[in-house]
Amino acid sequence: MSDELKACPFCGGSDIRLEAFGDNGKPFRFECCDCDYSPDWWLDTEAEAVAYWNTRPIEDGLRSQVDAMREHYHQMSHQLADANAEIARLKAEIAAHVEGNPVLREMRDDDNWEEL
């Protein structure tokens, strides 16, 4: 059971116990055995109690933002790698032109050439 439950939202504990048969006729809720947190709600079914316990809108929203940022990072990393490859290609092309042009070769050899 506890492997499908999120950790306690207050202490982070994982020792979560299902309580059954509440006073108001709704039979299910959970209790954290690490910090004794027990919500005031009782739900009709175990599935409803699990869904309610695992509902963390702020945490879920932050995880969604982190996932989006990771995806953006990966896209930018690929774009940077592509840009670096293009820079290397252009430098090689320039070097080939310099080697093929006596005036440019002389400028380079006379130290009048600014290093790329």
Side-chain angles (χ1 to χ4, degrees):
M1 165 68 63
S2 62
D3 58 352
E4 65 186 70
L5 296 174
K6 290 185 178 181
C8 175
F10 296 100
C11 75
S14 60
D15 188 8
I16 311 301
R17 180 182 67 182
L18 176 67
E19 290 186 327
F21 306 108
D23 297 335
N24 62 359
K26 292 186 178 181
F28 296 102
R29 76 174 179 181
F30 288 97
E31 176 183 21
C32 175
C33 297
D34 292 324
C35 71
D36 294 326
Y37 167 71
S38 182
D40 292 335
W41 45 262
W42 291 87
L43 296 164
D44 293 324
T45 67
E46 183 177 336
E48 287 176 347
V50 168
Y52 195 85
W53 178 268
N54 285 338
T55 299
R56 313 281 166 84
I58 293 173
E59 180 181 318
D60 293 342
L62 290 174
R63 287 186 194 278
S64 176
Q65 288 179 352
V66 167
D67 289 343
M69 290 172 71
R70 281 190 180 125
E71 177 60 29
H72 183 69
Y73 168 78
H74 289 299
Q75 290 173 356
M76 297 301 292
S77 294
H78 290 295
Q79 289 176 355
L80 179 60
D82 292 345
N84 284 333
E86 179 67 5
I87 289 169
R89 186 192 70 75
L90 291 171
K91 283 184 174 184
E93 186 178 321
I94 290 169
H97 283 295
V98 168
E99 287 302 318
N101 185 314
V103 173
L104 293 176
R105 227 181 18 248
E106 183 180 329
M107 288 174 61
R108 180 196 63 200
D109 294 343
D110 288 342
D111 284 335
N112 293 327
W113 190 264
E114 187 176 313
E115 190 67 36
L116 291 177

